[in-house]
Amino acid sequence: MEDDIGLWKQKEGVFKNKFSTKLTWEMLRSRSEYCEWHRGVWFNYATPKYAFLTWLAIHNRLSTGDRMLSWNGNVNAACSLCDTPIETRNHLFFECRYASIVWKSLVRGIMEDDYTNNWQELVTMLSTSQKTIKVFTLKYVFQATIHCLWLERNGRRHGEAPIPPDKLIRQIDRSVRNRFSSIRLVGSKKMEGGLRYWFSTRQ
Ligand SMILES: [Zn+2]
């Protein structure tokens, strides 16, 4: 193969047999930006099914109303949680009336003055923050809430009875407690106090 002489990939689709520091650096840099938000999704003690769904959401690969509409013009694209005419990723997480009640109740004690329900702000915040109990908790609640809201949304689309926000909040609260309890069992020094921290934000 002619490529075996070691061509440097300078940008998508362009190969030259001369190494360019600047262009290669730019490629590596954009790759590390990619990893920045990656850290927000795949982290120690994440729950794989929550992380996977969050990863799909970050890539906007969930079959939300707007995307289904682009595949089939006859589909009902309204939000199943609040009847807004077009359901989008950013609407579901967490601008939706129903979703924002759940999100706010769970994280207002963590985020305090930085509270937001804007998708882009949250993803940026979670990708660049330090590794602290507070950030771990926020990331974990972010993923658990995405997962529970998506299940609730799918259930309603299939005709199941709506779950009131209070009940969904209790479900997510329980899964956060269970996570902290199981982390304690593996004896992570760093995560000690996680459960106490979570309780302190739930006042
Ligand atoms: Zn909605």
Side-chain angles (χ1 to χ4, degrees):
M1 275 175 62
E2 60 180 59
D3 281 1
D4 281 348
I5 50 174
L7 302 178
W8 292 101
K9 186 179 180 187
Q10 296 198 330
K11 57 184 181 186
E12 284 312 316
V14 178
F15 291 87
K16 287 187 180 164
N17 56 2
K18 187 172 145 260
F19 177 69
S20 156
T21 313
K22 183 170 174 280
L23 287 175
T24 306
W25 164 245
E26 257 160 27
M27 272 186 55
L28 290 173
R29 199 172 53 93
S30 64
R31 197 160 293 170
S32 79
E33 275 165 15
Y34 175 86
C35 289
E36 286 295 303
W37 68 253
H38 214 253
R39 279 198 308 165
V41 180
W42 309 106
F43 54 91
N44 282 348
Y45 307 114
T47 294
K49 66 179 176 184
Y50 297 168
F52 181 63
L53 203 74
T54 304
W55 182 81
L56 289 177
I58 283 180
H59 284 281
N60 205 9
R61 294 286 168 82
L62 295 175
S63 53
T64 43
D66 57 334
R67 299 192 67 234
M68 292 195 301
L69 202 60
S70 70
W71 307 323
N72 170 6
N74 293 322
V75 80
N76 173 13
C79 174
S80 320
L81 303 177
C82 77
D83 288 333
T84 282
I86 303 279
E87 176 196 71
T88 63
R89 188 254 332 256
N90 293 20
H91 170 80
L92 268 179
F93 313 124
F94 306 97
E95 285 162 8
C96 170
R97 199 170 60 240
Y98 176 94
S100 65
I101 293 172
V102 174
W103 176 244
K104 190 169 192 176
S105 160
L106 289 161
V107 301
R108 72 182 156 208
I110 305 174
M111 301 186 81
E112 299 176 307
D113 291 343
D114 296 326
Y115 173 81
T116 176
N117 61 348
N118 176 279
W119 175 264
Q120 210 51 58
E121 287 176 11
L122 285 165
V123 169
T124 305
M125 193 183 290
L126 293 178
S127 310
T128 53
S129 309
Q130 313 241 314
K131 291 181 182 171
T132 59
I133 288 277
K134 174 177 169 166
V135 172
F136 170 84
T137 310
L138 192 58
K139 281 183 188 178
Y140 195 80
V141 176
F142 178 69
Q143 299 196 348
T145 307
I146 288 173
H147 187 260
C148 285
L149 284 171
W150 187 246
L151 291 193
E152 172 61 8
R153 174 263 187 203
N154 288 343
R156 292 200 200 183
R157 280 195 88 91
H158 294 110
E160 285 167 25
I163 297 178
D166 282 0
K167 197 171 167 198
L168 211 73
I169 292 163
R170 282 200 300 277
Q171 275 179 16
I172 300 168
D173 176 73
R174 205 176 313 125
S175 79
V176 177
R177 289 183 199 196
N178 289 345
R179 194 64 192 150
F180 275 125
S181 303
S182 61
I183 291 172
R184 208 158 46 168
L185 289 178
V186 266
S188 166
K189 271 266 177 265
K190 210 175 149 201
M191 300 298 286
E192 253 172 40
L195 196 57
R196 206 167 48 237
Y197 171 72
W198 174 242
F199 283 136
S200 77
T201 71
R202 302 295 298 144
Q203 306 298 320

